Amino acid sequence: MPDDDRWLRGLPPGWSKVWRYIDSGASLDQLARATAQAFARTFRDVGGVPELRDIADEAVQRAQTKCSELDLGIDGHDPLHASNHPPTVITRQVVDALVEAQPEKLASCATLEAQQVVAEASLKELAFHFGFDRMVKDAVRRGKELLQVLNIMELVLAHPQIKALAVRLLRHPDGKGLRAPGFRTSGMSTSELLETPLGDL
């Protein structure tokens, strides 16, 4: 292994490549592809988020109850029967936040739409659990601009690759057979993207 600062210890398999791409200023497409591949590998290793679709369906019911006149403040999620599987725990935490912050949005979603919303929101949080959090700390330690690194990560997590991965995760919630989607590159580096107005992307 090269003895330089580009290696960040303690990352799950596949996530070191993501960090090297962030560090080297690789294109957003390359970075999103590497992130989707790392996600897919990690989900295969840890068993995905088996309850993902059920959690999303439950979120809609909770949101509808919260928005209705019958809301008595009763939460349909029973923590005594909750999984201790980390990705599932994090997904439930994401859903709790969504139900509190955006009940009207969730309550009006069709089933598949709600599942997509929950899957995408969960991926954003799980990215930090799987490695983005350590990458940010290491970047700051090495003198990189915090906001710049966070902006790159935000662009990656909004990329069509990650949205497509969310669809695939819903099809393979246990992680079995999950693969990153294919992609087409734009060739723009992350530094170029940060200087380009969103409307021009």
Side-chain angles (χ1 to χ4, degrees), residues 58-93:
E58 176 188 296
V60 173
Q61 294 173 0
R62 290 170 56 194
Q64 289 173 341
T65 299
K66 189 174 184 66
C67 292
S68 74
E69 295 180 355
L70 299 176
D71 182 9
L72 302 177
I74 300 173
D75 191 337
H77 170 46
D78 184 356
L80 295 178
H81 295 91
S83 169
N84 61 1
H85 178 242
T88 300
V89 171
I90 290 169
T91 298
R92 286 198 175 279
Q93 291 171 347

Side-chain angles (χ1 to χ4, degrees), residues 102-124:
Q102 305 177 39
E104 294 84 3
K105 178 180 178 180
L106 274 179
S108 64
C109 283
T111 298
L112 294 179
E113 183 184 2
Q115 291 176 353
Q116 184 71 16
V117 168
V118 169
E120 289 181 17
S122 296
L123 287 179
K124 291 178 180 179

Side-chain angles (χ1 to χ4, degrees), residues 17-162:
K17 181 178 181 180
V18 175
W19 172 231
R20 291 197 303 274
Y21 275 9
I22 290 176
D23 189 50
S24 66
S27 73
L28 178 61
D29 287 330
Q30 290 175 315
L31 184 49
R33 172 67 171 169
T35 302
Q37 290 174 329
F39 260 132
R41 180 171 179 177
T42 301
F43 282 131
R44 292 195 301 270
D45 290 344
V46 304
V49 188
E51 302 171 35
L52 179 59
R53 291 191 295 250
D54 291 339
I55 291 172
D57 294 345
E58 176 188 296
V60 173
Q61 294 173 0
R62 290 170 56 194
Q64 289 173 341
T65 299
K66 189 174 184 66
C67 292
S68 74
E69 295 180 355
L70 299 176
D71 182 9
L72 302 177
I74 300 173
D75 191 337
H77 170 46
D78 184 356
L80 295 178
H81 295 91
S83 169
N84 61 1
H85 178 242
T88 300
V89 171
I90 290 169
T91 298
R92 286 198 175 279
Q93 291 171 347
V94 168
V95 162
D96 288 344
L98 285 174
V99 170
E100 285 301 315
Q102 305 177 39
E104 294 84 3
K105 178 180 178 180
L106 274 179
S108 64
C109 283
T111 298
L112 294 179
E113 183 184 2
Q115 291 176 353
Q116 184 71 16
V117 168
V118 169
E120 289 181 17
S122 296
L123 287 179
K124 291 178 180 179
E125 194 66 29
L126 286 167
F128 283 86
H129 174 72
F130 291 148
F132 274 13
D133 58 345
R134 279 155 283 177
M135 295 177 200
V136 169
K137 291 176 183 177
D138 193 61
V140 172
R141 178 185 67 81
R142 294 172 52 209
K144 289 184 177 289
E145 291 290 334
L146 173 61
L147 289 180
Q148 185 179 39
V149 175
L150 291 175
N151 284 342
I152 290 170
M153 291 176 172
E154 184 178 357
L155 287 170
V156 169
L157 295 173
H159 193 277
Q161 275 279 303
I162 305 305

Side-chain angles (χ1 to χ4, degrees), residues 167-190:
V167 173
R168 292 187 174 211
L169 180 59
L170 286 164
R171 294 177 185 159
H172 305 274
D174 61 2
K176 294 179 181 177
L178 181 63
R179 292 285 183 268
F183 78 116
R184 292 179 295 180
T185 62
S186 71
M188 294 180 69
S189 69
T190 49

